[in-house]
Amino acid sequence: EKFIDIKCRMSGLKPQAVVLVATIRALKYHGGLAKDALNNEDLDALERGMVNLERHLTNITVHYGLPCIVSINHFTDDTDAEIDLLKSKVEAQGGVAVVAKHWADGGAGAEQLAKIVAETVDKKPGAHNYVYAETDSLWDKMSAIATKIYGAAGISANTKVRAEIEKLNKAYGSFPVCIA
Protein backbone atom coordinates (compact mmCIF):
# COMPACT_ATOMS: atom_id res chain seq x y z
CA GLU A 1 0.00 0.00 0.00
CA LYS A 2 2.87 2.43 0.61
CA PHE A 3 3.52 2.36 -3.13
CA ILE A 4 -0.02 3.50 -3.97
CA ASP A 5 0.88 7.17 -3.50
CA ILE A 6 4.08 6.97 -5.52
CA LYS A 7 2.75 4.97 -8.46
CA CYS A 8 -0.39 7.07 -8.78
CA ARG A 9 1.44 10.38 -8.60
CA MET A 10 4.10 9.34 -11.10
CA SER A 11 1.78 7.65 -13.60
CA GLY A 12 -1.32 9.79 -13.22
CA LEU A 13 -3.37 6.62 -12.77
CA LYS A 14 -5.98 6.43 -10.02
CA PRO A 15 -6.94 3.01 -8.69
CA GLN A 16 -10.58 2.21 -8.01
CA ALA A 17 -10.03 -0.81 -5.75
CA VAL A 18 -7.28 -2.73 -3.98
CA VAL A 19 -6.78 -6.49 -3.80
CA LEU A 20 -4.94 -7.34 -0.59
CA VAL A 21 -3.49 -10.86 -0.63
CA ALA A 22 -3.29 -12.77 2.65
CA THR A 23 -2.67 -16.32 3.75
CA ILE A 24 -4.05 -17.94 6.86
CA ARG A 25 -0.61 -19.44 7.46
CA ALA A 26 1.05 -15.99 7.51
CA LEU A 27 -1.62 -14.56 9.78
CA LYS A 28 -1.20 -17.45 12.23
CA TYR A 29 2.56 -16.91 12.12
CA HIS A 30 2.04 -13.19 12.87
CA GLY A 31 -0.16 -14.38 15.74
CA GLY A 32 2.79 -16.17 17.33
CA LEU A 33 2.38 -19.71 16.00
CA ALA A 34 5.63 -21.58 15.34
CA LYS A 35 6.44 -22.46 11.71
CA ASP A 36 6.15 -26.18 12.38
CA ALA A 37 2.58 -25.71 13.66
CA LEU A 38 1.19 -23.59 10.80
CA ASN A 39 -0.60 -26.55 9.22
CA ASN A 40 -2.69 -27.05 12.37
CA GLU A 41 -5.94 -25.20 12.97
CA ASP A 42 -5.41 -22.42 15.51
CA LEU A 43 -8.17 -19.82 15.63
CA ASP A 44 -6.56 -17.95 18.54
CA ALA A 45 -3.28 -17.45 16.65
CA LEU A 46 -5.22 -16.44 13.54
CA GLU A 47 -7.18 -13.84 15.50
CA ARG A 48 -4.00 -12.45 17.10
CA GLY A 49 -2.36 -12.26 13.69
CA MET A 50 -5.23 -10.26 12.19
CA VAL A 51 -3.92 -6.98 13.64
CA ASN A 52 -1.59 -6.32 10.70
CA LEU A 53 -4.25 -7.15 8.11
CA GLU A 54 -6.80 -4.98 9.90
CA ARG A 55 -4.35 -2.06 9.81
CA HIS A 56 -3.85 -2.52 6.07
CA LEU A 57 -7.62 -2.60 5.58
CA THR A 58 -8.00 0.64 7.53
CA ASN A 59 -5.20 2.33 5.59
CA ILE A 60 -6.66 1.29 2.24
CA THR A 61 -10.29 2.10 2.97
CA VAL A 62 -9.95 5.15 5.22
CA HIS A 63 -6.72 6.87 4.19
CA TYR A 64 -6.71 5.97 0.49
CA GLY A 65 -10.51 5.89 0.11
CA LEU A 66 -10.57 2.63 -1.83
CA PRO A 67 -12.67 -0.51 -1.46
CA CYS A 68 -10.60 -3.50 -0.45
CA ILE A 69 -11.03 -7.09 -1.52
CA VAL A 70 -8.95 -9.55 0.51
CA SER A 71 -7.80 -12.49 -1.56
CA ILE A 72 -7.23 -15.45 0.73
CA ASN A 73 -4.43 -17.34 -0.99
CA HIS A 74 -5.64 -20.81 -0.02
CA PHE A 75 -3.46 -23.60 1.33
CA THR A 76 -4.71 -27.19 1.57
CA ASP A 77 -4.41 -27.18 5.38
CA ASP A 78 -6.65 -24.10 5.80
CA THR A 79 -9.76 -25.16 7.66
CA ASP A 80 -13.32 -23.96 7.09
CA ALA A 81 -13.34 -22.48 10.60
CA GLU A 82 -10.20 -20.45 9.85
CA ILE A 83 -11.57 -19.23 6.53
CA ASP A 84 -14.88 -18.28 8.18
CA LEU A 85 -13.07 -16.38 10.94
CA LEU A 86 -10.91 -14.48 8.46
CA LYS A 87 -13.91 -13.61 6.28
CA SER A 88 -15.95 -12.42 9.26
CA LYS A 89 -13.12 -10.20 10.53
CA VAL A 90 -12.62 -8.65 7.10
CA GLU A 91 -16.35 -8.11 6.60
CA ALA A 92 -16.63 -6.52 10.07
CA GLN A 93 -14.27 -3.84 8.76
CA GLY A 94 -16.28 -3.29 5.61
CA GLY A 95 -14.07 -5.38 3.34
CA VAL A 96 -14.78 -8.46 1.29
CA ALA A 97 -12.76 -11.67 1.53
CA VAL A 98 -12.61 -14.30 -1.21
CA VAL A 99 -10.83 -17.65 -1.24
CA ALA A 100 -8.52 -17.96 -4.25
CA LYS A 101 -7.29 -21.38 -5.35
CA HIS A 102 -5.54 -20.40 -8.57
CA TRP A 103 -2.47 -22.40 -7.52
CA ALA A 104 -4.56 -25.57 -7.81
CA ASP A 105 -7.25 -24.67 -10.34
CA GLY A 106 -5.54 -22.15 -12.61
CA GLY A 107 -7.69 -19.27 -13.81
CA ALA A 108 -10.86 -20.95 -12.57
CA GLY A 109 -9.47 -20.77 -9.04
CA ALA A 110 -9.40 -16.96 -9.21
CA GLU A 111 -12.63 -16.46 -11.16
CA GLN A 112 -14.73 -15.49 -8.13
CA LEU A 113 -12.07 -12.98 -7.07
CA ALA A 114 -12.02 -11.45 -10.56
CA LYS A 115 -15.82 -11.18 -10.61
CA ILE A 116 -15.92 -9.44 -7.23
CA VAL A 117 -13.19 -6.98 -8.23
CA ALA A 118 -15.01 -6.19 -11.50
CA GLU A 119 -18.35 -5.77 -9.69
CA THR A 120 -16.75 -3.53 -7.09
CA VAL A 121 -15.17 -1.28 -9.69
CA ASP A 122 -18.39 -1.16 -11.73
CA LYS A 123 -20.79 -0.55 -8.84
CA LYS A 124 -18.86 1.39 -6.21
CA PRO A 125 -15.36 2.40 -7.29
CA GLY A 126 -13.30 4.19 -4.71
CA ALA A 127 -12.40 7.85 -4.78
CA HIS A 128 -8.65 7.57 -4.39
CA ASN A 129 -7.10 9.99 -1.90
CA TYR A 130 -3.48 10.80 -1.25
CA VAL A 131 -2.03 10.66 2.24
CA TYR A 132 -0.45 14.10 1.86
CA ALA A 133 -0.70 17.13 -0.40
CA GLU A 134 1.71 17.23 -3.32
CA THR A 135 2.78 20.71 -2.19
CA ASP A 136 3.73 19.54 1.32
CA SER A 137 7.40 19.64 2.28
CA LEU A 138 9.31 16.38 2.50
CA TRP A 139 9.14 16.61 6.30
CA ASP A 140 5.36 17.05 6.21
CA LYS A 141 5.00 14.17 3.75
CA MET A 142 7.05 11.91 6.01
CA SER A 143 5.03 13.04 9.00
CA ALA A 144 1.74 12.32 7.23
CA ILE A 145 2.86 8.81 6.30
CA ALA A 146 4.18 8.10 9.80
CA THR A 147 1.05 9.32 11.58
CA LYS A 148 -1.70 8.27 9.19
CA ILE A 149 -0.34 4.99 7.82
CA TYR A 150 1.86 3.71 10.65
CA GLY A 151 -0.03 5.27 13.58
CA ALA A 152 2.98 7.16 14.98
CA ALA A 153 2.38 10.08 17.31
CA GLY A 154 4.84 12.13 15.23
CA ILE A 155 8.33 12.15 13.82
CA SER A 156 11.53 13.66 15.13
CA ALA A 157 15.10 14.13 13.97
CA ASN A 158 18.18 15.88 15.26
CA THR A 159 19.27 19.23 13.84
CA LYS A 160 21.77 17.72 11.40
CA VAL A 161 19.15 15.36 9.90
CA ARG A 162 16.53 18.15 9.74
CA ALA A 163 19.03 20.36 7.87
CA GLU A 164 19.72 17.56 5.37
CA ILE A 165 15.98 17.05 4.82
CA GLU A 166 15.56 20.79 4.22
CA LYS A 167 18.42 20.67 1.71
CA LEU A 168 16.77 17.73 -0.07
CA ASN A 169 13.43 19.52 0.04
CA LYS A 170 14.77 22.34 -2.15
CA ALA A 171 15.64 19.94 -4.98
CA TYR A 172 13.14 17.13 -4.42
CA GLY A 173 10.27 18.61 -2.42
CA SER A 174 7.76 18.10 -5.22
CA PHE A 175 8.54 14.37 -5.43
CA PRO A 176 6.50 11.67 -3.71
CA VAL A 177 7.92 9.98 -0.63
CA CYS A 178 8.39 6.25 -0.10
CA ILE A 179 9.20 4.99 3.36
CA ALA A 180 10.57 1.47 3.50
Side-chain angles (χ1 to χ4, degrees), residues 9 130-138 141 172-176:
R9 287 189 190 277
Y130 291 103
V131 175
Y132 51 77
E134 193 170 350
T135 56
D136 284 352
S137 69
L138 291 176
K141 290 174 183 177
Y172 304 105
S174 63
F175 285 30

Side-chain angles (χ1 to χ4, degrees), residues 4-5 8-9 13-16 63-66 126-130:
I4 292 173
D5 265 354
C8 294
R9 287 189 190 277
L13 298 174
K14 292 207 176 207
Q16 295 180 317
H63 298 298
Y64 291 110
L66 297 169
H128 177 253
N129 302 311
Y130 291 103

Side-chain angles (χ1 to χ4, degrees), residues 95-173:
V96 176
V98 182
V99 175
K101 295 183 179 182
H102 48 283
W103 60 270
D105 301 330
E111 192 172 337
Q112 183 184 13
L113 172 63
K115 284 181 182 179
I116 289 174
V117 170
E119 287 171 5
T120 300
V121 170
D122 288 344
K123 292 180 182 174
K124 54 178 181 175
H128 177 253
N129 302 311
Y130 291 103
V131 175
Y132 51 77
E134 193 170 350
T135 56
D136 284 352
S137 69
L138 291 176
W139 182 264
D140 290 341
K141 290 174 183 177
M142 292 186 297
S143 179
I145 291 169
T147 57
K148 293 177 182 176
I149 300 302
Y150 295 107
I155 62 173
S156 63
N158 67 33
T159 306
K160 183 177 178 182
V161 171
R162 287 292 300 256
E164 186 65 27
I165 291 170
E166 276 306 311
K167 185 174 153 185
L168 291 169
N169 194 63
K170 288 181 173 100
Y172 304 105

Side-chain angles (χ1 to χ4, degrees), residues 1-179:
E1 86 201 37
K2 60 188 163 194
F3 298 107
I4 292 173
D5 265 354
I6 290 174
K7 288 183 180 182
C8 294
R9 287 189 190 277
M10 301 305 279
S11 69
L13 298 174
K14 292 207 176 207
Q16 295 180 317
V18 172
V19 174
L20 180 60
V21 179
T23 67
I24 288 174
R25 290 172 56 86
L27 293 170
K28 290 190 297 189
Y29 185 70
H30 290 301
L33 202 60
K35 286 183 183 180
D36 62 355
L38 294 176
N39 293 338
N40 303 327
E41 180 177 273
D42 192 324
L43 299 177
D44 292 334
L46 176 59
E47 187 146 5
R48 286 189 309 271
M50 286 292 299
V51 174
N52 189 37
L53 184 71
E54 289 168 345
R55 181 64 188 211
H56 285 300
L57 276 165
T58 298
N59 288 342
I60 291 164
T61 59
V62 174
H63 298 298
Y64 291 110
L66 297 169
C68 185
I69 300 98
V70 175
S71 174
I72 304 170
N73 192 1
H74 186 265
F75 279 70
T76 55
D77 292 315
D78 295 347
T79 68
D80 290 342
E82 290 172 327
I83 292 168
D84 291 344
L85 176 61
L86 178 51
K87 283 183 173 183
S88 70
K89 290 291 204 176
V90 168
E91 289 167 7
Q93 279 200 257
V96 176
V98 182
V99 175
K101 295 183 179 182
H102 48 283
W103 60 270
D105 301 330
E111 192 172 337
Q112 183 184 13
L113 172 63
K115 284 181 182 179
I116 289 174
V117 170
E119 287 171 5
T120 300
V121 170
D122 288 344
K123 292 180 182 174
K124 54 178 181 175
H128 177 253
N129 302 311
Y130 291 103
V131 175
Y132 51 77
E134 193 170 350
T135 56
D136 284 352
S137 69
L138 291 176
W139 182 264
D140 290 341
K141 290 174 183 177
M142 292 186 297
S143 179
I145 291 169
T147 57
K148 293 177 182 176
I149 300 302
Y150 295 107
I155 62 173
S156 63
N158 67 33
T159 306
K160 183 177 178 182
V161 171
R162 287 292 300 256
E164 186 65 27
I165 291 170
E166 276 306 311
K167 185 174 153 185
L168 291 169
N169 194 63
K170 288 181 173 100
Y172 304 105
S174 63
F175 285 30
V177 173
C178 176
I179 297 175

